[in-house]
Amino acid sequence: MLTLQRRAAAISDSADEIAFFHDAVAEYTWARDVAEYTWARDVAGRSAGP
């Protein structure tokens, strides 16, 4: 989000493009990890049985 605010305030350069790419990769990685954790927790809860 910080990269988008910087880009809106000024003309972007190659450093901004690289920072935007890194931010996007970090957000994707975070979302993927959360999804995997949630899925694993749900599967473990179902297989525990009564």
Side-chain angles (χ1 to χ4, degrees), residues 12-29:
S12 66
D13 61 2
S14 62
D16 287 336
E17 296 293 331
I18 293 169
F20 180 75
F21 173 76
H22 288 185
D23 287 350
V25 170
E27 288 185 22
Y28 167 79
T29 302

Side-chain angles (χ1 to χ4, degrees), residues 24-43:
V25 170
E27 288 185 22
Y28 167 79
T29 302
W30 177 85
R32 183 201 62 197
D33 292 347
V34 169
E36 287 177 0
Y37 171 76
T38 304
W39 176 82
R41 185 191 63 202
D42 291 346
V43 168

